[in-house]
Amino acid sequence: MRKFTKVLAAALAAVTSVSLAACGSGSSDAVDENAPVTITWWGWGTSAEKQAKDFMKKYPNITVKFQNIGSASKQYVSLNNAISANSGMPDVAMLEYFALPQFVSTGKVLDLKQYGADKYKSDYAPGPWASVALNDGVYGLPVDSGPMAWFYNKAVFDKAGVDATQVKTWDQFYEAAKKIRATGSYITSDSGDATSGGFYDSMVWQAGGHPFKTSKDGKTVSINLTGDEGAKKFTKFWQKLIAEDLIDTKTVSWSDEWNKALGDGSIASLLTGAWMPVNLENGSPAASGNYRVTQMPQWNEGDHANSENGGTCLSLMDTGDKAKEAASYKLVDYLNHSKEGTDRAYELGVFPSINRILQSDEFLNKTSDYFGGQKINEELMTASKNVLTGWEFLPFEVQARTTFPDTAGKAYAGGTTLEKGVSAWQDSLVKFAKDQGFTVKE
């Protein structure tokens, strides 16, 4: 066991004892499954309360108290505080895939193999399953997934004389970006803001990169952004687009201005996760009927490589209460694996991670008026199949992403190059890792 020696900067509170091998206490004690029990579930968004009500109708002896923390970042602060104090943890926590390794490292996330969750592997798409199957354990069940796809405004692309479905490579994307810019729009946006670290990871992943690795004992991390071929490839390419003013680097993602720009076409496309359609429909209704979706461009013509961007799981926290633990697993299993639970999640707008829905005719044949009648799920399913496995997040990925804007992010304003910014990001990550007691390989 090791002890973190510093408070996680900015967005994080202190995390004390860590052990990647820890999986919490076992579940062998006898539990009366019919006894009344109350469990707490921390998350965000608007659908969870409806899902909790569905569950309580099926299991009336279990009361679920859902607490909407407001946002993922706020929840991570609260969860770290509770773990540090060893008090006040929820029974169930919603966690983004990138954040899961960091919380697993605290030893307070339960390994669901003790409940037989490992037998579910073939039921899920490979990307989300790989994100929860860590260190020979299963530390959550996937809620949704975020295979990367290219969402584009066909009206703007038509005006520029670009057929996005024929843009097969990143070199062709560059040429398309110049044509889009000539119309007064940008092909996409990236301002180096708080979401850009996740986008950078996804793009390096899609380029076949592996800049981060953690040893099985959790004591050694490799951080090699400046030497990894995938990272170098994407960094060089993105710097070219920034330098030539081919992407919008001023409009902050998820701002009102960003939604407006997506609606009026001044930002003509997004490279992002498959969960984006409902956000476009709600945030940029002015573009209804104009959008389409296609596959990500490739680094080599003929390849079909893809990555994930976003997505969440539900995990069980080790509170030491066996009755609550058993009830909490029932909730997680019901919501993320049962037919009733996963159908309901899809109905509420989640992009599914479970193959039963992903491969169904109803899912694949569904059309979208916002996307001009396109069967967008066919494209997104293809994107899901092409996700490369083997990507690893840092065991302090939440912290890593908070430092991206202050290091690599400076390149987007022209103060430095992205190559130098990424190098500064790597330096900050190496220092942080060493301060926390990790052995670091660069």
Side-chain angles (χ1 to χ4, degrees):
M1 303 246 298
R2 290 179 291 115
K3 296 263 187 187
F4 278 153
T5 58
K6 288 190 177 181
V7 173
L8 296 187
L12 297 175
V15 176
T16 51
S17 63
V18 298
S19 172
L20 278 172
C23 65
S25 52
S27 59
S28 58
D29 297 342
V31 173
D32 182 355
E33 294 189 356
N34 295 315
V37 62
T38 298
I39 58 176
T40 57
W41 170 16
W42 284 9
W44 56 88
T46 59
S47 63
E49 290 187 74
K50 297 175 183 176
Q51 293 172 292
K53 288 179 181 177
D54 292 341
F55 174 78
M56 288 187 286
K57 287 179 182 177
K58 186 174 180 65
Y59 297 97
N61 64 307
I62 302 174
T63 300
V64 180
K65 291 187 176 180
F66 175 72
Q67 297 180 19
N68 191 329
I69 304 301
S71 68
S73 59
K74 289 180 180 178
Q75 176 168 304
Y76 300 152
V77 172
S78 297
L79 191 55
N80 270 304
N81 288 338
I83 290 171
S84 180
N86 199 29
S87 175
M89 285 189 299
D91 300 293
V92 178
M94 181 180 290
L95 298 171
E96 293 166 288
Y97 295 132
F98 79 82
L100 182 61
Q102 182 161 317
F103 287 101
V104 169
S105 75
T106 69
K108 289 297 185 179
V109 180
L110 290 171
D111 184 354
L112 302 184
K113 283 176 69 175
Q114 62 188 295
Y115 290 101
D118 50 320
K119 68 179 179 289
Y120 291 161
K121 178 180 179 179
S122 62
D123 295 342
Y124 292 93
W129 184 259
S131 295
V132 299
L134 306 173
N135 209 42
D136 299 322
V138 178
Y139 290 94
L141 287 184
V143 173
D144 57 0
S145 62
M148 290 281 279
W150 189 13
F151 299 88
Y152 66 97
N153 189 318
K154 187 176 183 297
V156 179
F157 274 63
D158 286 349
K159 181 179 178 181
V162 176
D163 181 352
T165 65
Q166 298 306 307
V167 177
K168 302 295 186 182
T169 67
W170 288 111
D171 286 340
Q172 292 169 349
F173 181 91
Y174 168 70
E175 296 300 326
K178 290 191 288 186
K179 293 179 180 179
I180 297 291
R181 191 72 191 99
T183 70
S185 294
Y186 286 99
I187 195 167
T188 194
S189 68
D190 186 10
S191 66
D193 56 55
T195 66
S196 294
F199 174 74
Y200 182 88
D201 278 355
S202 294
M203 296 301 285
V204 171
W205 180 351
Q206 198 250 353
H210 295 280
F212 308 133
K213 288 190 177 297
T214 304
S215 63
K216 283 195 172 183
D217 64 8
K219 296 179 179 179
T220 302
V221 294
S222 297
I223 304 171
N224 188 27
L225 290 159
T226 57
D228 179 83
E229 290 303 317
K232 290 195 297 183
K233 190 185 299 183
F234 172 68
T235 300
K236 181 179 179 181
F237 176 74
W238 214 237
Q239 172 59 38
K240 180 167 69 169
L241 270 66
I242 293 171
E244 296 182 24
D245 189 37
L246 296 179
I247 56 175
D248 179 349
T249 59
K250 295 182 175 61
T251 306
V252 177
S253 298
W254 302 104
S255 65
D256 290 342
E257 293 78 12
W258 184 75
N259 280 319
K260 182 178 182 297
L262 291 170
D264 65 25
S266 51
I267 297 175
S269 72
L270 287 175
L271 304 159
T272 192
W275 39 262
M276 192 64 205
V278 68
N279 294 285
L280 282 170
E281 291 170 15
N282 293 332
S284 305
S288 181
N290 289 336
Y291 265 86
R292 303 291 188 275
V293 62
T294 192
Q295 300 301 307
M296 294 282 286
Q298 300 293 311
W299 293 101
N300 300 300
E301 192 162 2
D303 284 354
H304 300 283
N306 202 16
S307 61
E308 294 267 347
N309 182 265
T312 54
C313 66
L314 288 183
S315 297
L316 268 58
M317 305 305 295
D318 185 7
T319 64
D321 188 315
K322 289 299 166 188
K324 289 188 175 185
E325 182 182 309
S328 296
Y329 183 73
K330 278 189 176 181
L331 173 66
V332 171
D333 189 50
Y334 170 83
L335 295 180
N336 298 342
H337 192 262
S338 74
K339 185 178 187 306
E340 306 101 300
T342 53
D343 281 352
R344 179 64 160 158
Y346 172 51
E347 176 190 322
L348 292 169
V350 165
F351 185 79
S353 57
I354 199 158
N355 288 327
R356 180 185 59 77
I357 297 177
L358 287 171
Q359 297 170 2
S360 69
D361 289 340
E362 179 184 357
F363 175 79
L364 294 173
N365 291 325
K366 184 178 179 180
T367 60
S368 167
D369 291 339
Y370 189 91
F371 286 83
Q374 183 184 9
K375 295 180 181 179
I376 61 173
N377 289 337
E378 286 185 339
E379 286 291 332
L380 298 176
M381 177 56 180
T382 298
S384 178
K385 289 180 178 178
N386 292 334
V387 171
L388 300 172
T389 58
W391 173 266
E392 291 185 38
F393 292 113
L394 286 167
F396 45 88
E397 187 71 32
V398 177
Q399 162 64 16
R401 295 192 182 187
T402 67
T403 61
F404 185 91
D406 295 328
T407 52
K410 291 182 177 179
Y412 297 78
T416 185
T417 65
L418 191 54
E419 287 90 344
K420 291 179 179 178
V422 168
S423 179
W425 189 34
Q426 174 169 304
D427 290 344
S428 74
L429 296 178
V430 169
K431 182 180 185 304
F432 180 85
K434 289 179 177 178
D435 286 348
Q436 309 314 313
F438 289 99
T439 299
V440 180
K441 293 183 178 180
E442 296 183 60

